[in-house]
Amino acid sequence: MPLKIPRIIGHRGAAGYAPENTLEGIYTAADMETSWIELDVKLTKDQIPIIFHDDTLERTTNGSGNVADMTFEDIRQLEAGSWFSDSFAGIQIPTLEEAIDAILECNLGLNLEIKPCLGREKETAEVALDILSQIWDDHDRLLISSFSHIAMETALDMAHDWHRGFLLPEEWPENWEDIARYLEISAFHVNGHHCTPEHIKTLLRFEKPILAYTINEPEQAQILQQWGVDGFFSDTPDVISESLLQPH
Ligand code: G3P
Ligand code: MG
Protein backbone atom coordinates (compact mmCIF):
# COMPACT_ATOMS: atom_id res chain seq x y z
CA MET A 1 0.00 0.00 0.00
CA PRO A 2 2.32 2.81 -1.16
CA LEU A 3 1.65 6.35 -0.03
CA LYS A 4 0.77 8.50 -3.02
CA ILE A 5 2.54 11.51 -1.66
CA PRO A 6 1.23 14.85 -2.89
CA ARG A 7 3.47 17.76 -3.82
CA ILE A 8 1.04 20.23 -2.27
CA ILE A 9 -1.21 19.86 0.75
CA GLY A 10 -3.69 22.64 1.46
CA HIS A 11 -2.94 23.70 5.04
CA ARG A 12 -6.03 23.69 7.30
CA GLY A 13 -7.98 23.48 4.02
CA ALA A 14 -6.76 26.50 2.13
CA ALA A 15 -6.21 28.85 5.06
CA GLY A 16 -5.05 31.76 2.93
CA TYR A 17 -8.40 31.92 1.10
CA ALA A 18 -11.06 30.61 3.48
CA PRO A 19 -11.40 30.29 7.26
CA GLU A 20 -9.10 27.50 8.43
CA ASN A 21 -10.44 24.06 9.31
CA THR A 22 -13.93 24.66 7.88
CA LEU A 23 -16.02 22.97 5.19
CA GLU A 24 -15.65 26.15 3.12
CA GLY A 25 -11.88 25.71 3.37
CA ILE A 26 -12.16 22.15 2.08
CA TYR A 27 -14.30 23.22 -0.89
CA THR A 28 -11.97 26.14 -1.60
CA ALA A 29 -8.95 23.82 -1.70
CA ALA A 30 -10.80 21.44 -4.03
CA ASP A 31 -11.78 24.32 -6.32
CA MET A 32 -8.12 25.22 -6.80
CA GLU A 33 -7.32 21.64 -7.72
CA THR A 34 -5.37 20.86 -4.58
CA SER A 35 -5.33 17.07 -4.34
CA TRP A 36 -4.74 16.79 -0.58
CA ILE A 37 -5.54 18.87 2.49
CA GLU A 38 -4.40 18.93 6.09
CA LEU A 39 -6.88 19.41 8.97
CA ASP A 40 -6.51 19.49 12.76
CA VAL A 41 -8.81 17.43 14.97
CA LYS A 42 -9.50 17.75 18.69
CA LEU A 43 -12.28 16.77 21.11
CA THR A 44 -15.07 18.75 22.73
CA LYS A 45 -15.75 18.21 26.43
CA ASP A 46 -18.29 15.52 25.50
CA GLN A 47 -15.83 13.72 23.21
CA ILE A 48 -17.08 14.87 19.82
CA PRO A 49 -14.17 15.22 17.38
CA ILE A 50 -14.19 18.65 15.77
CA ILE A 51 -11.93 20.25 13.20
CA PHE A 52 -10.13 23.00 15.08
CA HIS A 53 -6.56 24.15 15.63
CA ASP A 54 -6.23 26.20 18.81
CA ASP A 55 -6.88 25.10 22.40
CA THR A 56 -8.91 28.28 22.87
CA LEU A 57 -11.74 29.84 20.90
CA GLU A 58 -10.79 33.51 20.69
CA ARG A 59 -8.70 33.67 17.54
CA THR A 60 -11.05 31.98 15.07
CA THR A 61 -14.54 32.23 16.56
CA ASN A 62 -16.83 34.71 18.32
CA GLY A 63 -16.53 32.64 21.51
CA SER A 64 -14.01 32.54 24.33
CA GLY A 65 -12.50 29.97 26.65
CA ASN A 66 -11.06 26.50 26.26
CA VAL A 67 -12.34 24.05 23.65
CA ALA A 68 -11.88 21.24 26.18
CA ASP A 69 -14.46 22.92 28.47
CA MET A 70 -17.13 23.25 25.77
CA THR A 71 -19.74 20.66 24.86
CA PHE A 72 -20.52 20.11 21.20
CA GLU A 73 -23.78 21.99 21.71
CA ASP A 74 -21.77 25.00 22.97
CA ILE A 75 -19.41 24.75 20.01
CA ARG A 76 -22.30 24.70 17.54
CA GLN A 77 -23.52 28.07 18.80
CA LEU A 78 -20.28 29.68 17.69
CA GLU A 79 -19.58 31.52 14.49
CA ALA A 80 -16.26 30.71 12.87
CA GLY A 81 -16.09 32.73 9.65
CA SER A 82 -16.34 36.47 10.17
CA TRP A 83 -12.94 36.79 11.91
CA PHE A 84 -11.55 35.89 8.48
CA SER A 85 -13.89 37.91 6.29
CA ASP A 86 -17.49 39.13 6.31
CA SER A 87 -18.17 36.99 3.27
CA PHE A 88 -17.78 33.88 5.47
CA ALA A 89 -20.03 35.13 8.29
CA GLY A 90 -22.25 32.51 9.89
CA ILE A 91 -20.23 29.36 9.28
CA GLN A 92 -19.77 26.76 11.98
CA ILE A 93 -16.95 24.60 13.28
CA PRO A 94 -17.33 21.23 11.55
CA THR A 95 -17.25 17.80 13.10
CA LEU A 96 -14.68 15.31 11.85
CA GLU A 97 -17.49 13.36 10.19
CA GLU A 98 -18.79 16.40 8.33
CA ALA A 99 -15.27 17.21 7.16
CA ILE A 100 -14.67 13.66 5.93
CA ASP A 101 -17.95 13.71 4.00
CA ALA A 102 -16.85 16.91 2.25
CA ILE A 103 -13.37 15.52 1.56
CA LEU A 104 -14.80 12.33 0.05
CA GLU A 105 -17.28 14.35 -2.00
CA CYS A 106 -14.34 16.36 -3.39
CA ASN A 107 -12.15 13.28 -3.82
CA LEU A 108 -9.28 14.75 -1.80
CA GLY A 109 -6.50 13.01 0.12
CA LEU A 110 -6.22 13.83 3.83
CA ASN A 111 -3.48 14.45 6.34
CA LEU A 112 -5.35 14.36 9.63
CA GLU A 113 -3.29 16.02 12.33
CA ILE A 114 -4.37 14.91 15.78
CA LYS A 115 -4.20 18.06 17.86
CA PRO A 116 -5.24 17.02 21.35
CA CYS A 117 -5.85 19.36 24.24
CA LEU A 118 -3.37 18.68 27.03
CA GLY A 119 -4.06 15.39 28.80
CA ARG A 120 -6.44 14.13 26.12
CA GLU A 121 -3.84 12.73 23.72
CA LYS A 122 -4.89 9.09 23.76
CA GLU A 123 -8.64 9.58 23.73
CA THR A 124 -8.43 12.16 20.92
CA ALA A 125 -6.53 9.71 18.73
CA GLU A 126 -8.86 6.84 19.68
CA VAL A 127 -12.07 8.70 18.90
CA ALA A 128 -10.78 10.25 15.66
CA LEU A 129 -9.30 7.02 14.33
CA ASP A 130 -12.39 5.06 15.25
CA ILE A 131 -14.58 7.40 13.19
CA LEU A 132 -12.11 7.41 10.31
CA SER A 133 -11.99 3.62 10.29
CA GLN A 134 -15.74 3.52 9.75
CA ILE A 135 -15.84 5.86 6.76
CA TRP A 136 -12.43 6.08 5.07
CA ASP A 137 -11.34 3.30 2.69
CA ASP A 138 -8.52 4.68 0.55
CA HIS A 139 -5.54 4.29 2.86
CA ASP A 140 -2.96 5.31 0.32
CA ARG A 141 -4.52 8.78 0.44
CA LEU A 142 -4.62 9.14 4.21
CA LEU A 143 -1.78 10.21 6.47
CA ILE A 144 -2.07 10.49 10.26
CA SER A 145 0.25 12.84 12.12
CA SER A 146 0.59 14.55 15.48
CA PHE A 147 3.11 16.43 17.58
CA SER A 148 1.91 14.18 20.41
CA HIS A 149 3.92 11.00 20.78
CA ILE A 150 1.06 9.40 22.74
CA ALA A 151 -1.38 10.12 19.92
CA MET A 152 1.03 8.61 17.39
CA GLU A 153 1.60 5.55 19.53
CA THR A 154 -2.17 5.12 19.72
CA ALA A 155 -2.31 5.30 15.91
CA LEU A 156 0.43 2.67 15.70
CA ASP A 157 -1.55 0.36 17.97
CA MET A 158 -5.02 0.98 16.57
CA ALA A 159 -4.30 1.37 12.89
CA HIS A 160 -0.94 -0.22 12.29
CA ASP A 161 -1.39 -0.43 8.52
CA TRP A 162 -2.29 3.23 8.03
CA HIS A 163 0.38 5.69 7.00
CA ARG A 164 1.85 7.83 9.76
CA GLY A 165 3.69 11.10 9.20
CA PHE A 166 6.34 12.07 11.75
CA LEU A 167 5.56 15.67 12.61
CA LEU A 168 8.84 17.16 13.76
CA PRO A 169 8.70 20.38 15.81
CA GLU A 170 11.05 23.32 15.39
CA GLU A 171 13.51 21.68 17.83
CA TRP A 172 13.90 18.01 16.99
CA PRO A 173 13.87 15.60 19.95
CA GLU A 174 17.29 14.06 20.55
CA ASN A 175 15.98 10.53 19.93
CA TRP A 176 14.04 11.42 16.78
CA GLU A 177 15.57 8.56 14.77
CA ASP A 178 14.45 6.01 17.38
CA ILE A 179 10.97 7.53 17.42
CA ALA A 180 10.75 7.42 13.61
CA ARG A 181 11.69 3.75 13.56
CA TYR A 182 9.42 2.85 16.47
CA LEU A 183 6.41 4.56 14.89
CA GLU A 184 7.17 2.95 11.50
CA ILE A 185 6.57 6.24 9.80
CA SER A 186 5.83 6.72 6.10
CA ALA A 187 6.84 10.39 5.81
CA PHE A 188 8.64 13.20 7.65
CA HIS A 189 6.88 16.53 8.22
CA VAL A 190 9.41 19.26 8.99
CA ASN A 191 9.11 22.92 9.86
CA GLY A 192 10.16 24.45 6.55
CA HIS A 193 11.33 27.68 8.20
CA HIS A 194 13.57 26.07 10.79
CA CYS A 195 15.28 23.24 8.97
CA THR A 196 18.69 23.33 7.34
CA PRO A 197 20.12 21.49 4.32
CA GLU A 198 21.88 19.21 6.86
CA HIS A 199 18.55 18.29 8.45
CA ILE A 200 17.12 17.34 5.08
CA LYS A 201 20.27 15.42 4.15
CA THR A 202 19.91 13.36 7.33
CA LEU A 203 16.27 12.60 6.55
CA LEU A 204 17.00 11.63 2.96
CA ARG A 205 18.89 8.59 4.28
CA PHE A 206 15.53 7.13 5.38
CA GLU A 207 14.25 7.20 1.78
CA LYS A 208 10.83 8.43 2.91
CA PRO A 209 8.96 11.41 1.53
CA ILE A 210 9.74 14.73 3.23
CA LEU A 211 7.00 17.34 3.56
CA ALA A 212 7.58 20.89 4.82
CA TYR A 213 5.09 23.07 6.74
CA THR A 214 3.90 25.80 6.35
CA ILE A 215 5.25 27.28 3.15
CA ASN A 216 3.51 30.24 1.53
CA GLU A 217 6.54 31.84 -0.11
CA PRO A 218 7.48 30.50 -3.57
CA GLU A 219 11.19 31.26 -2.99
CA GLN A 220 11.24 29.17 0.19
CA ALA A 221 9.48 26.28 -1.57
CA GLN A 222 12.09 26.32 -4.32
CA ILE A 223 14.99 26.33 -1.85
CA LEU A 224 13.52 23.43 0.10
CA GLN A 225 12.80 21.55 -3.08
CA GLN A 226 16.43 21.88 -4.11
CA TRP A 227 17.49 20.50 -0.71
CA GLY A 228 15.30 17.42 -1.32
CA VAL A 229 11.89 18.24 0.14
CA ASP A 230 9.13 16.45 -1.79
CA GLY A 231 5.98 18.27 -0.77
CA PHE A 232 4.64 21.37 0.95
CA PHE A 233 1.84 22.29 3.32
CA SER A 234 0.60 25.66 2.18
CA ASP A 235 -2.17 28.16 3.01
CA THR A 236 -1.92 29.25 -0.63
CA PRO A 237 -1.58 25.94 -2.48
CA ASP A 238 -2.11 27.47 -5.92
CA VAL A 239 0.77 29.93 -5.49
CA ILE A 240 3.20 27.27 -4.29
CA SER A 241 2.11 24.78 -6.93
CA GLU A 242 2.92 27.24 -9.72
CA SER A 243 6.35 28.00 -8.30
CA LEU A 244 7.68 24.45 -7.99
CA LEU A 245 10.25 23.00 -10.31
CA GLN A 246 8.84 20.11 -12.32
CA PRO A 247 10.21 16.66 -11.45
CA HIS A 248 12.71 15.22 -13.94
O1 G3P B 1 0.75 19.43 10.08
C1 G3P B 1 1.50 20.51 9.62
C2 G3P B 1 1.15 21.76 10.37
O2 G3P B 1 -0.24 21.92 10.34
C3 G3P B 1 1.65 21.74 11.80
O3 G3P B 1 1.46 22.92 12.48
O4 G3P B 1 0.31 24.40 14.05
O5 G3P B 1 -0.29 24.47 11.64
O6 G3P B 1 -0.97 22.54 13.04
P1 G3P B 1 0.06 23.61 12.81
MG1 MG C 1 -1.93 21.30 11.58
Side-chain angles (χ1 to χ4, degrees):
M1 189 178 62
L3 177 65
K4 288 183 200 153
I5 201 71
R7 302 184 82 212
I8 308 284
I9 300 180
H11 184 238
R12 307 182 195 172
Y17 302 117
E20 63 184 56
N21 285 322
T22 62
L23 300 183
E24 286 69 12
I26 296 169
Y27 292 125
T28 302
D31 283 348
M32 51 183 55
E33 295 180 13
T34 307
S35 58
W36 276 58
I37 56 164
E38 182 258 8
L39 298 174
D40 305 290
V41 65
K42 59 181 358 101
L43 295 182
T44 61
K45 186 180 179 185
D46 48 349
Q47 303 248 0
I48 304 296
I50 55 168
I51 302 300
F52 203 76
H53 181 275
D54 296 359
D55 284 341
T56 52
L57 296 163
E58 284 79 355
R59 185 178 62 87
T60 60
T61 77
N62 61 346
S64 62
N66 297 323
V67 176
D69 297 333
M70 303 282 164
T71 63
F72 181 60
E73 207 185 325
D74 299 331
I75 289 286
R76 272 303 214 221
Q77 308 303 318
L78 302 176
E79 194 275 322
S82 34
W83 69 276
F84 185 87
S85 142
D86 287 345
S87 58
F88 290 102
I91 66 176
Q92 294 178 313
I93 298 170
T95 63
L96 173 61
E97 270 185 273
E98 289 166 342
I100 295 171
D101 285 346
I103 291 165
L104 293 175
E105 181 192 330
C106 297
N107 195 27
L108 295 168
L110 171 65
N111 170 210
L112 188 66
E113 184 190 336
I114 299 166
K115 194 72 125 183
C117 296
L118 199 62
R120 305 190 76 187
E121 294 80 4
K122 192 167 165 53
E123 61 187 305
T124 305
E126 282 173 350
V127 172
L129 295 175
D130 183 48
I131 286 181
L132 262 177
S133 70
Q134 294 170 41
I135 39 183
W136 192 284
D137 289 327
D138 188 0
H139 289 289
D140 53 5
R141 293 213 300 161
L142 176 67
L143 190 52
I144 306 297
S145 64
S146 183
F147 286 114
S148 157
H149 184 75
I150 296 173
M152 291 302 286
E153 204 170 24
T154 306
L156 178 74
D157 291 344
M158 272 183 77
H160 182 269
D161 294 343
W162 298 12
H163 293 291
R164 286 171 293 282
F166 188 9
L167 189 43
L168 283 153
E170 207 175 302
E171 297 284 332
W172 293 13
E174 244 174 58
N175 58 342
W176 68 269
E177 295 197 44
D178 295 337
I179 298 173
R181 286 196 191 90
Y182 172 71
L183 291 174
E184 299 175 38
I185 57 111
S186 297
F188 290 101
H189 302 186
V190 297
N191 183 316
H193 297 283
H194 288 95
C195 62
T196 62
E198 287 70 36
H199 282 125
I200 302 301
K201 212 169 155 185
T202 320
L203 295 183
L204 286 169
R205 285 195 282 112
F206 282 76
E207 299 184 346
K208 306 277 184 199
I210 304 169
L211 303 169
Y213 63 88
T214 299
I215 304 299
N216 299 329
E217 310 77 15
E219 306 73 29
Q220 185 66 5
Q222 286 171 4
I223 290 169
L224 290 162
Q225 197 181 27
Q226 280 158 8
W227 292 352
V229 170
D230 301 290
F232 302 88
F233 295 91
S234 182
D235 298 325
T236 52
D238 54 339
V239 173
I240 296 302
S241 177
E242 277 168 24
S243 73
L244 294 180
L245 308 169
Q246 291 310 307
H248 300 295

